[in-house]
């Protein structure tokens, strides 16, 4: 049976969604892996989103908490809010109490990717504070580490991402993921899928 990887994200303006697409491509490149993108429910009213200048949501299925149990591995993506995950993703995790009670996610590998507005805006604190959610579910956190190689050390341009996972800087919303950031995301997807495949094969 194929290894099922879910890429589950929240994105207000589309930056995290762009990373999610690349992560899916990377994961799908691993033989025997099926990757699927999901978005979590929006909690803000359309009126508020309109005033924020947020674009319409993409044609991506909205996941329910219970559907997480069907995956062999899950990559969660979200923008930061004051160094932590956005409230929409936190609300989604808050709704996984039933899965926690049954420990339905225990032992499943999980990864994290993210977007921040500035260089000091949480490229490390955002994933670091998110690990508590995975820990309570008994999930196995799979950081990308420095497996991306020399490009993660690049100093010739501004670039997001860290050993915790792929990332991007959105600035005021006008900056989109760079080529290197997209490559990092694709690499994370491929690397994560390989780990998930090994774990399922040894189970």
């Amino acid at each position: 049976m194929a290894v099922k990887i879910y890429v589950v994200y929240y994105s207000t303006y589309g930056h995290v969604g762009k990373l999610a697409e690349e992560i899916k491509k990377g994961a799908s490149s691993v033989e025997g892996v099926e990757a699927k993108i999901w978005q979590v429910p929006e909690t803000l009213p359309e009126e508020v989103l309109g005033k924020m200048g947020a674009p319409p949501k993409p044609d991506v299925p909205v996941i329910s908490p219970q559907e997480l149990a069907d995956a062999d591995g899950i990559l969660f993506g979200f923008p930061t809010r004051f160094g932590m995950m956005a409230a929409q993703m936190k609300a989604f995790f808050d709704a996984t109490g039933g899965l926690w009670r049954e420990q339905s996610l225990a032992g499943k590998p999980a990864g994290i990717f993210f977007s921040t507005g500035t260089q000091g805006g949480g490229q490390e604190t955002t994933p670091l504070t998110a690990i508590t959610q995975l820990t309570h579910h008994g999930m196995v956190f799979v950081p990308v580490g420095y497996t991306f190689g020399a490009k993660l050390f690049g100093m010739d341009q501004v670039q997001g991402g860290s050993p915790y996972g792929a990332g991007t800087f959105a600035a005021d919303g006008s900056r989109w993921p760079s080529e290197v950031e997209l490559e990092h995301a694709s690499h994370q997807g491929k690397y994560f899928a390989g780990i998930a495949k090994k774990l399922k094969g040894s189970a």
Side-chain angles (χ1 to χ4, degrees):
M1 292 180 64
V3 177
K4 294 202 292 186
I5 301 298
Y6 283 1
V7 182
V8 180
Y9 77 94
Y10 171 74
S11 189
T12 307
Y13 297 102
H15 299 78
V16 176
K18 196 72 175 174
L19 294 179
E21 293 172 7
E22 293 303 311
I23 283 179
K24 179 191 174 184
K25 290 177 184 176
S28 297
S29 71
V30 177
E31 185 178 356
V33 169
E34 291 181 0
K36 183 174 182 178
I37 290 184
W38 303 82
Q39 58 182 330
V40 303
E42 179 60 79
T43 59
L44 293 175
E46 288 294 333
E47 180 182 359
V48 174
L49 291 170
K51 291 180 178 179
M52 292 170 61
K57 296 297 181 186
D59 186 22
V60 173
V62 176
I63 193 169
S64 68
Q66 290 300 323
E67 288 174 296
L68 291 177
D70 297 331
D72 295 306
I74 309 167
L75 284 147
F76 296 99
F78 36 81
T80 186
R81 299 291 184 267
F82 300 111
M84 301 175 69
M85 68 171 62
Q88 289 86 343
M89 183 60 80
K90 183 59 169 64
F92 180 76
F93 272 110
D94 287 348
T96 61
L99 295 173
W100 168 80
R101 187 170 54 249
E102 301 295 331
Q103 285 295 285
S104 301
L105 304 181
K108 293 182 185 290
I112 297 170
F113 59 103
F114 38 84
S115 170
T116 68
T118 64
Q119 293 184 61
Q123 290 283 316
E124 291 196 348
T125 62
T126 302
L128 183 61
T129 52
I131 291 174
T132 58
Q133 313 296 315
L134 312 181
T135 300
H136 281 259
H137 277 289
M139 303 187 82
V140 180
F141 177 51
V142 180
V144 71
Y146 285 94
T147 59
F148 188 46
K151 289 184 178 180
L152 195 57
F153 295 91
M155 298 291 286
D156 57 331
Q157 63 176 313
V158 173
Q159 65 183 61
S162 70
Y164 293 93
T168 188
F169 292 114
D172 60 358
S174 62
R175 182 188 183 276
W176 288 91
S178 67
E179 183 178 339
V180 173
E181 290 169 343
L182 294 175
E183 285 181 30
H184 193 194
S186 179
H187 169 77
Q188 182 179 8
K190 183 176 181 179
Y191 177 77
F192 179 86
I195 297 294
K197 182 177 179 180
K198 289 178 182 177
L199 288 175
K200 184 174 183 179
S202 63

